[in-house]
mmCIF file of all heavy atoms in Angstrom:
data_model
loop_
_atom_site.group_PDB
_atom_site.id
_atom_site.type_symbol
_atom_site.label_atom_id
_atom_site.label_comp_id
_atom_site.label_asym_id
_atom_site.label_seq_id
_atom_site.Cartn_x
_atom_site.Cartn_y
_atom_site.Cartn_z
ATOM 1 N N ALA Q 8 -44.340 -5.571 -22.465
ATOM 2 C CA ALA Q 8 -45.069 -6.879 -22.187
ATOM 3 C C ALA Q 8 -44.559 -7.993 -23.094
ATOM 4 O O ALA Q 8 -44.736 -9.150 -22.612
ATOM 5 C CB ALA Q 8 -46.515 -6.610 -22.465
ATOM 6 N N GLY Q 9 -43.884 -7.857 -24.170
ATOM 7 C CA GLY Q 9 -43.414 -8.874 -24.925
ATOM 8 C C GLY Q 9 -41.994 -9.219 -24.616
ATOM 9 O O GLY Q 9 -41.296 -9.897 -25.289
ATOM 10 N N GLY Q 10 -41.381 -8.494 -23.633
ATOM 11 C CA GLY Q 10 -39.915 -8.663 -23.215
ATOM 12 C C GLY Q 10 -38.974 -7.923 -23.990
ATOM 13 O O GLY Q 10 -37.842 -8.210 -23.931
ATOM 14 N N GLN Q 11 -39.527 -6.920 -24.883
ATOM 15 C CA GLN Q 11 -38.554 -6.137 -25.710
ATOM 16 C C GLN Q 11 -38.045 -4.972 -24.885
ATOM 17 O O GLN Q 11 -38.796 -4.413 -24.093
ATOM 18 C CB GLN Q 11 -39.298 -5.547 -26.871
ATOM 19 C CG GLN Q 11 -39.776 -6.660 -27.851
ATOM 20 C CD GLN Q 11 -38.526 -7.347 -28.529
ATOM 21 O OE1 GLN Q 11 -37.658 -6.676 -29.088
ATOM 22 N NE2 GLN Q 11 -38.642 -8.638 -28.391
ATOM 23 N N PRO Q 12 -36.703 -4.766 -25.006
ATOM 24 C CA PRO Q 12 -36.050 -3.600 -24.085
ATOM 25 C C PRO Q 12 -36.402 -2.218 -24.725
ATOM 26 O O PRO Q 12 -36.116 -1.952 -25.877
ATOM 27 C CB PRO Q 12 -34.604 -3.940 -24.237
ATOM 28 C CG PRO Q 12 -34.382 -4.625 -25.502
ATOM 29 C CD PRO Q 12 -35.790 -5.411 -25.834
ATOM 30 N N ARG Q 13 -36.998 -1.395 -24.025
ATOM 31 C CA ARG Q 13 -37.375 0.025 -24.406
ATOM 32 C C ARG Q 13 -36.539 0.889 -23.668
ATOM 33 O O ARG Q 13 -36.448 1.002 -22.478
ATOM 34 C CB ARG Q 13 -38.866 0.177 -24.040
ATOM 35 C CG ARG Q 13 -39.935 -0.628 -24.788
ATOM 36 C CD ARG Q 13 -39.978 -0.520 -26.203
ATOM 37 N NE ARG Q 13 -40.801 -1.471 -26.932
ATOM 38 C CZ ARG Q 13 -41.112 -1.397 -28.207
ATOM 39 N NH1 ARG Q 13 -40.752 -0.222 -28.875
ATOM 40 N NH2 ARG Q 13 -41.875 -2.323 -28.833
ATOM 41 N N ASP Q 14 -35.862 1.823 -24.549
ATOM 42 C CA ASP Q 14 -35.014 2.822 -24.045
ATOM 43 C C ASP Q 14 -35.784 3.877 -23.386
ATOM 44 O O ASP Q 14 -36.634 4.530 -24.028
ATOM 45 C CB ASP Q 14 -34.214 3.427 -25.188
ATOM 46 C CG ASP Q 14 -33.171 4.381 -24.812
ATOM 47 O OD1 ASP Q 14 -33.359 5.098 -23.632
ATOM 48 O OD2 ASP Q 14 -32.289 4.613 -25.522
ATOM 49 N N VAL Q 15 -35.644 4.076 -22.010
ATOM 50 C CA VAL Q 15 -36.461 5.201 -21.358
ATOM 51 C C VAL Q 15 -35.694 6.325 -20.884
ATOM 52 O O VAL Q 15 -36.058 7.150 -20.027
ATOM 53 C CB VAL Q 15 -37.076 4.410 -20.089
ATOM 54 C CG1 VAL Q 15 -38.117 3.377 -20.480
ATOM 55 C CG2 VAL Q 15 -36.132 3.984 -19.108
ATOM 56 N N SER Q 16 -34.495 6.442 -21.508
ATOM 57 C CA SER Q 16 -33.669 7.635 -21.204
ATOM 58 C C SER Q 16 -34.278 8.963 -21.496
ATOM 59 O O SER Q 16 -33.937 9.949 -20.769
ATOM 60 C CB SER Q 16 -32.306 7.482 -21.784
ATOM 61 O OG SER Q 16 -32.466 7.457 -23.271
ATOM 62 N N ALA Q 17 -35.334 9.065 -22.147
ATOM 63 C CA ALA Q 17 -36.068 10.314 -22.378
ATOM 64 C C ALA Q 17 -36.968 10.572 -21.252
ATOM 65 O O ALA Q 17 -37.201 11.818 -21.175
ATOM 66 C CB ALA Q 17 -36.789 10.318 -23.679
ATOM 67 N N LEU Q 18 -37.230 9.698 -20.522
ATOM 68 C CA LEU Q 18 -38.093 9.826 -19.272
ATOM 69 C C LEU Q 18 -37.290 9.961 -17.959
ATOM 70 O O LEU Q 18 -37.681 10.826 -17.089
ATOM 71 C CB LEU Q 18 -39.088 8.615 -19.071
ATOM 72 C CG LEU Q 18 -40.087 8.491 -20.300
ATOM 73 C CD1 LEU Q 18 -40.970 7.265 -20.150
ATOM 74 C CD2 LEU Q 18 -40.889 9.676 -20.652
ATOM 75 N N VAL Q 19 -36.145 9.217 -17.884
ATOM 76 C CA VAL Q 19 -35.387 9.193 -16.681
ATOM 77 C C VAL Q 19 -33.854 8.997 -17.185
ATOM 78 O O VAL Q 19 -33.673 7.970 -17.840
ATOM 79 C CB VAL Q 19 -35.827 8.107 -15.697
ATOM 80 C CG1 VAL Q 19 -35.827 6.881 -16.218
ATOM 81 C CG2 VAL Q 19 -35.030 8.173 -14.461
ATOM 82 N N PRO Q 20 -32.978 9.774 -16.707
ATOM 83 C CA PRO Q 20 -31.549 9.622 -17.234
ATOM 84 C C PRO Q 20 -30.921 8.323 -16.815
ATOM 85 O O PRO Q 20 -30.066 7.773 -17.506
ATOM 86 C CB PRO Q 20 -30.911 10.862 -16.651
ATOM 87 C CG PRO Q 20 -31.645 11.349 -15.448
ATOM 88 C CD PRO Q 20 -33.079 10.978 -15.814
ATOM 89 N N ASP Q 21 -31.390 7.874 -15.595
ATOM 90 C CA ASP Q 21 -30.742 6.520 -15.168
ATOM 91 C C ASP Q 21 -31.518 6.152 -13.841
ATOM 92 O O ASP Q 21 -32.213 6.998 -13.271
ATOM 93 C CB ASP Q 21 -29.229 6.684 -14.762
ATOM 94 C CG ASP Q 21 -28.536 5.319 -14.745
ATOM 95 O OD1 ASP Q 21 -29.141 4.302 -14.952
ATOM 96 O OD2 ASP Q 21 -27.306 5.368 -14.471
ATOM 97 N N PHE Q 22 -31.379 4.838 -13.453
ATOM 98 C CA PHE Q 22 -32.071 4.378 -12.309
ATOM 99 C C PHE Q 22 -30.917 4.544 -11.154
ATOM 100 O O PHE Q 22 -30.109 3.678 -10.977
ATOM 101 C CB PHE Q 22 -32.391 2.915 -12.377
ATOM 102 C CG PHE Q 22 -33.288 2.607 -13.642
ATOM 103 C CD1 PHE Q 22 -33.030 1.514 -14.481
ATOM 104 C CD2 PHE Q 22 -34.327 3.517 -14.053
ATOM 105 C CE1 PHE Q 22 -33.788 1.276 -15.567
ATOM 106 C CE2 PHE Q 22 -35.146 3.231 -15.065
ATOM 107 C CZ PHE Q 22 -34.896 2.116 -15.837
ATOM 108 N N THR Q 23 -31.051 5.661 -10.387
ATOM 109 C CA THR Q 23 -30.186 6.081 -9.405
ATOM 110 C C THR Q 23 -30.896 6.179 -8.042
ATOM 111 O O THR Q 23 -32.028 6.241 -8.051
ATOM 112 C CB THR Q 23 -29.388 7.360 -9.693
ATOM 113 O OG1 THR Q 23 -30.354 8.409 -9.612
ATOM 114 C CG2 THR Q 23 -28.862 7.298 -11.146
ATOM 115 N N PRO Q 24 -30.083 6.277 -6.924
ATOM 116 C CA PRO Q 24 -30.601 6.540 -5.764
ATOM 117 C C PRO Q 24 -31.434 7.755 -5.680
ATOM 118 O O PRO Q 24 -32.556 7.878 -4.940
ATOM 119 C CB PRO Q 24 -29.552 6.709 -4.734
ATOM 120 C CG PRO Q 24 -28.391 5.762 -5.382
ATOM 121 C CD PRO Q 24 -28.589 5.988 -6.880
ATOM 122 N N GLU Q 25 -31.153 8.845 -6.575
ATOM 123 C CA GLU Q 25 -31.926 10.086 -6.690
ATOM 124 C C GLU Q 25 -33.282 9.800 -7.440
ATOM 125 O O GLU Q 25 -34.248 10.516 -7.075
ATOM 126 C CB GLU Q 25 -31.114 11.102 -7.272
ATOM 127 C CG GLU Q 25 -29.919 11.520 -6.399
ATOM 128 C CD GLU Q 25 -28.701 10.655 -6.356
ATOM 129 O OE1 GLU Q 25 -28.569 9.706 -7.321
ATOM 130 O OE2 GLU Q 25 -28.072 10.551 -5.319
ATOM 131 N N THR Q 26 -33.290 9.048 -8.497
ATOM 132 C CA THR Q 26 -34.467 8.925 -9.294
ATOM 133 C C THR Q 26 -35.318 7.778 -8.924
ATOM 134 O O THR Q 26 -36.462 7.820 -9.220
ATOM 135 C CB THR Q 26 -34.030 8.649 -10.922
ATOM 136 O OG1 THR Q 26 -33.331 7.403 -10.927
ATOM 137 C CG2 THR Q 26 -33.130 9.841 -11.359
ATOM 138 N N ILE Q 27 -34.774 6.801 -8.142
ATOM 139 C CA ILE Q 27 -35.634 5.643 -7.800
ATOM 140 C C ILE Q 27 -37.002 6.055 -7.083
ATOM 141 O O ILE Q 27 -37.910 5.492 -7.509
ATOM 142 C CB ILE Q 27 -34.782 4.716 -6.933
ATOM 143 C CG1 ILE Q 27 -33.916 3.854 -7.831
ATOM 144 C CG2 ILE Q 27 -35.736 3.716 -6.114
ATOM 145 C CD1 ILE Q 27 -32.778 2.940 -7.053
ATOM 146 N N PRO Q 28 -36.942 7.032 -6.221
ATOM 147 C CA PRO Q 28 -38.239 7.238 -5.577
ATOM 148 C C PRO Q 28 -39.371 7.886 -6.463
ATOM 149 O O PRO Q 28 -40.440 7.792 -6.241
ATOM 150 C CB PRO Q 28 -37.893 8.254 -4.478
ATOM 151 C CG PRO Q 28 -36.473 8.046 -4.176
ATOM 152 C CD PRO Q 28 -35.845 7.737 -5.671
ATOM 153 N N THR Q 29 -38.881 8.434 -7.602
ATOM 154 C CA THR Q 29 -39.801 8.938 -8.605
ATOM 155 C C THR Q 29 -40.323 7.989 -9.703
ATOM 156 O O THR Q 29 -41.148 8.450 -10.475
ATOM 157 C CB THR Q 29 -39.128 10.079 -9.301
ATOM 158 O OG1 THR Q 29 -38.115 9.698 -10.221
ATOM 159 C CG2 THR Q 29 -38.484 11.090 -8.276
ATOM 160 N N LEU Q 30 -39.853 6.840 -9.779
ATOM 161 C CA LEU Q 30 -40.006 5.933 -10.871
ATOM 162 C C LEU Q 30 -41.443 5.626 -11.165
ATOM 163 O O LEU Q 30 -41.890 5.603 -12.265
ATOM 164 C CB LEU Q 30 -39.148 4.653 -10.848
ATOM 165 C CG LEU Q 30 -37.645 4.913 -10.920
ATOM 166 C CD1 LEU Q 30 -36.948 3.545 -10.876
ATOM 167 C CD2 LEU Q 30 -37.231 5.532 -12.263
ATOM 168 N N ARG Q 31 -42.110 5.250 -10.094
ATOM 169 C CA ARG Q 31 -43.514 4.923 -10.293
ATOM 170 C C ARG Q 31 -44.385 6.133 -10.917
ATOM 171 O O ARG Q 31 -45.231 5.876 -11.795
ATOM 172 C CB ARG Q 31 -44.261 4.461 -8.959
ATOM 173 C CG ARG Q 31 -43.557 3.224 -8.500
ATOM 174 C CD ARG Q 31 -44.344 2.549 -7.249
ATOM 175 N NE ARG Q 31 -43.720 1.461 -6.703
ATOM 176 C CZ ARG Q 31 -43.818 0.124 -7.282
ATOM 177 N NH1 ARG Q 31 -44.615 0.042 -8.409
ATOM 178 N NH2 ARG Q 31 -43.219 -0.816 -6.754
ATOM 179 N N ASP Q 32 -44.122 7.310 -10.508
ATOM 180 C CA ASP Q 32 -44.802 8.468 -11.067
ATOM 181 C C ASP Q 32 -44.287 8.601 -12.573
ATOM 182 O O ASP Q 32 -45.133 9.095 -13.440
ATOM 183 C CB ASP Q 32 -44.529 9.656 -10.218
ATOM 184 C CG ASP Q 32 -45.281 9.612 -9.020
ATOM 185 O OD1 ASP Q 32 -46.189 8.919 -8.781
ATOM 186 O OD2 ASP Q 32 -44.784 10.336 -7.919
ATOM 187 N N VAL Q 33 -42.965 8.507 -12.793
ATOM 188 C CA VAL Q 33 -42.530 8.678 -14.020
ATOM 189 C C VAL Q 33 -43.166 7.821 -15.170
ATOM 190 O O VAL Q 33 -43.456 8.248 -16.295
ATOM 191 C CB VAL Q 33 -40.962 8.525 -14.155
ATOM 192 C CG1 VAL Q 33 -40.453 8.430 -15.548
ATOM 193 C CG2 VAL Q 33 -40.224 9.674 -13.362
ATOM 194 N N PHE Q 34 -43.293 6.625 -14.822
ATOM 195 C CA PHE Q 34 -43.866 5.527 -15.831
ATOM 196 C C PHE Q 34 -45.365 5.354 -15.678
ATOM 197 O O PHE Q 34 -45.938 4.573 -16.422
ATOM 198 C CB PHE Q 34 -43.318 4.243 -15.571
ATOM 199 C CG PHE Q 34 -41.730 4.378 -15.869
ATOM 200 C CD1 PHE Q 34 -40.712 4.120 -14.917
ATOM 201 C CD2 PHE Q 34 -41.327 4.458 -17.216
ATOM 202 C CE1 PHE Q 34 -39.383 4.268 -15.319
ATOM 203 C CE2 PHE Q 34 -40.009 4.528 -17.601
ATOM 204 C CZ PHE Q 34 -39.037 4.457 -16.620
ATOM 205 N N LYS Q 35 -46.086 6.095 -14.821
ATOM 206 C CA LYS Q 35 -47.493 5.996 -14.551
ATOM 207 C C LYS Q 35 -48.075 6.380 -15.967
ATOM 208 O O LYS Q 35 -48.032 7.545 -16.429
ATOM 209 C CB LYS Q 35 -47.947 6.818 -13.529
ATOM 210 C CG LYS Q 35 -49.517 6.592 -13.233
ATOM 211 C CD LYS Q 35 -49.854 7.396 -11.862
ATOM 212 C CE LYS Q 35 -51.335 7.158 -11.571
ATOM 213 N NZ LYS Q 35 -51.663 7.766 -10.291
ATOM 214 N N GLY Q 36 -48.911 5.524 -16.531
ATOM 215 C CA GLY Q 36 -49.643 5.682 -17.783
ATOM 216 C C GLY Q 36 -48.841 5.839 -19.059
ATOM 217 O O GLY Q 36 -49.400 6.000 -20.102
ATOM 218 N N VAL Q 37 -47.638 5.409 -18.935
ATOM 219 C CA VAL Q 37 -46.583 5.427 -20.179
ATOM 220 C C VAL Q 37 -46.893 4.109 -20.886
ATOM 221 O O VAL Q 37 -47.001 3.074 -20.490
ATOM 222 C CB VAL Q 37 -45.158 5.499 -19.774
ATOM 223 C CG1 VAL Q 37 -44.186 5.215 -20.910
ATOM 224 C CG2 VAL Q 37 -44.925 6.914 -19.083
ATOM 225 N N ASP Q 38 -47.085 4.398 -22.337
ATOM 226 C CA ASP Q 38 -47.203 3.325 -23.154
ATOM 227 C C ASP Q 38 -45.753 2.889 -23.656
ATOM 228 O O ASP Q 38 -45.118 3.519 -24.475
ATOM 229 C CB ASP Q 38 -48.012 3.708 -24.485
ATOM 230 C CG ASP Q 38 -48.028 2.516 -25.451
ATOM 231 O OD1 ASP Q 38 -47.697 1.455 -25.092
ATOM 232 O OD2 ASP Q 38 -48.436 2.845 -26.667
ATOM 233 N N LEU Q 39 -45.274 1.815 -23.019
ATOM 234 C CA LEU Q 39 -43.897 1.335 -23.380
ATOM 235 C C LEU Q 39 -43.699 0.927 -24.828
ATOM 236 O O LEU Q 39 -42.571 1.326 -25.301
ATOM 237 C CB LEU Q 39 -43.562 0.244 -22.441
ATOM 238 C CG LEU Q 39 -43.469 0.360 -20.924
ATOM 239 C CD1 LEU Q 39 -43.066 -0.899 -20.259
ATOM 240 C CD2 LEU Q 39 -42.297 1.466 -20.615
ATOM 241 N N GLU Q 40 -44.699 0.468 -25.504
ATOM 242 C CA GLU Q 40 -44.478 0.064 -26.754
ATOM 243 C C GLU Q 40 -44.253 1.220 -27.782
ATOM 244 O O GLU Q 40 -43.896 1.105 -28.856
ATOM 245 C CB GLU Q 40 -45.740 -0.823 -27.331
ATOM 246 C CG GLU Q 40 -45.711 -2.109 -26.825
ATOM 247 C CD GLU Q 40 -46.065 -2.442 -25.419
ATOM 248 O OE1 GLU Q 40 -46.472 -1.412 -24.807
ATOM 249 O OE2 GLU Q 40 -45.961 -3.611 -24.942
ATOM 250 N N GLY Q 41 -44.613 2.404 -27.108
ATOM 251 C CA GLY Q 41 -44.451 3.725 -27.937
ATOM 252 C C GLY Q 41 -43.010 4.267 -27.793
ATOM 253 O O GLY Q 41 -42.779 5.290 -28.496
ATOM 254 N N LEU Q 42 -42.234 3.753 -26.923
ATOM 255 C CA LEU Q 42 -40.864 4.170 -26.834
ATOM 256 C C LEU Q 42 -39.866 3.319 -27.765
ATOM 257 O O LEU Q 42 -40.212 2.160 -28.120
ATOM 258 C CB LEU Q 42 -40.445 4.009 -25.350
ATOM 259 C CG LEU Q 42 -41.232 4.822 -24.319
ATOM 260 C CD1 LEU Q 42 -40.781 4.487 -22.888
ATOM 261 C CD2 LEU Q 42 -41.026 6.241 -24.507
ATOM 262 N N PRO Q 43 -38.798 3.972 -28.025
ATOM 263 C CA PRO Q 43 -37.866 3.307 -28.916
ATOM 264 C C PRO Q 43 -37.242 1.982 -28.381
ATOM 265 O O PRO Q 43 -36.913 1.959 -27.226
ATOM 266 C CB PRO Q 43 -36.682 4.316 -29.259
ATOM 267 C CG PRO Q 43 -36.809 5.199 -28.112
ATOM 268 C CD PRO Q 43 -38.319 5.225 -27.652
ATOM 269 N N LEU Q 44 -36.877 1.004 -29.213
ATOM 270 C CA LEU Q 44 -36.223 -0.167 -28.705
ATOM 271 C C LEU Q 44 -34.801 0.327 -28.462
ATOM 272 O O LEU Q 44 -34.189 1.102 -29.055
ATOM 273 C CB LEU Q 44 -36.254 -1.190 -29.830
ATOM 274 C CG LEU Q 44 -37.471 -1.965 -30.085
ATOM 275 C CD1 LEU Q 44 -37.385 -2.718 -31.227
ATOM 276 C CD2 LEU Q 44 -37.901 -2.902 -28.836
ATOM 277 N N ALA Q 45 -34.284 -0.352 -27.298
ATOM 278 C CA ALA Q 45 -32.900 -0.008 -26.891
ATOM 279 C C ALA Q 45 -31.954 -0.818 -27.862
ATOM 280 O O ALA Q 45 -32.155 -1.902 -28.302
ATOM 281 C CB ALA Q 45 -32.711 -0.362 -25.515
ATOM 282 N N GLN Q 46 -30.801 -0.141 -28.097
ATOM 283 C CA GLN Q 46 -29.754 -0.891 -28.918
ATOM 284 C C GLN Q 46 -28.917 -1.786 -27.963
ATOM 285 O O GLN Q 46 -27.963 -1.141 -27.217
ATOM 286 C CB GLN Q 46 -29.002 0.188 -29.705
ATOM 287 C CG GLN Q 46 -29.750 1.047 -30.585
ATOM 288 C CD GLN Q 46 -30.465 0.127 -31.688
ATOM 289 O OE1 GLN Q 46 -29.959 -0.797 -32.369
ATOM 290 N NE2 GLN Q 46 -31.798 0.419 -31.844
ATOM 291 N N THR Q 47 -29.218 -2.990 -27.805
ATOM 292 C CA THR Q 47 -28.513 -3.829 -26.807
ATOM 293 C C THR Q 47 -27.514 -4.874 -27.461
ATOM 294 O O THR Q 47 -26.830 -5.426 -26.643
ATOM 295 C CB THR Q 47 -29.577 -4.486 -25.877
ATOM 296 O OG1 THR Q 47 -30.370 -5.341 -26.730
ATOM 297 C CG2 THR Q 47 -30.483 -3.505 -25.188
ATOM 298 N N GLN Q 48 -27.645 -5.026 -28.670
ATOM 299 C CA GLN Q 48 -26.768 -6.031 -29.277
ATOM 300 C C GLN Q 48 -25.348 -5.720 -28.979
ATOM 301 O O GLN Q 48 -24.792 -4.640 -29.311
ATOM 302 C CB GLN Q 48 -27.028 -5.995 -30.824
ATOM 303 C CG GLN Q 48 -26.324 -7.225 -31.549
ATOM 304 C CD GLN Q 48 -26.861 -8.552 -31.293
ATOM 305 O OE1 GLN Q 48 -28.116 -8.562 -30.975
ATOM 306 N NE2 GLN Q 48 -26.091 -9.626 -31.289
ATOM 307 N N GLY Q 49 -24.637 -6.741 -28.392
ATOM 308 C CA GLY Q 49 -23.249 -6.619 -28.038
ATOM 309 C C GLY Q 49 -22.839 -5.709 -26.948
ATOM 310 O O GLY Q 49 -21.695 -5.540 -26.701
#
């Protein structure tokens, strides 16, 4: 909600044609702020 990037690889390995149909169920009820920040610098 604050625009911070949260690493979700523990929930889904990648956003692919195979995983896309499952994403709404995967993230249902998930507290994003409880997930680690992604290392995006550089």
Side-chain angles (χ1 to χ4, degrees):
Q11 294 296 307
R13 299 290 174 169
D14 184 340
V15 298
S16 56
L18 300 177
V19 58
D21 199 358
F22 306 136
T23 70
E25 292 73 28
T26 64
I27 281 171
T29 71
L30 292 182
R31 293 193 184 277
D32 290 336
V33 166
F34 292 111
K35 189 174 182 178
V37 170
D38 177 16
L39 291 176
E40 282 75 9
L42 297 175
L44 287 170
Q46 301 302 311
T47 61
Q48 187 69 30

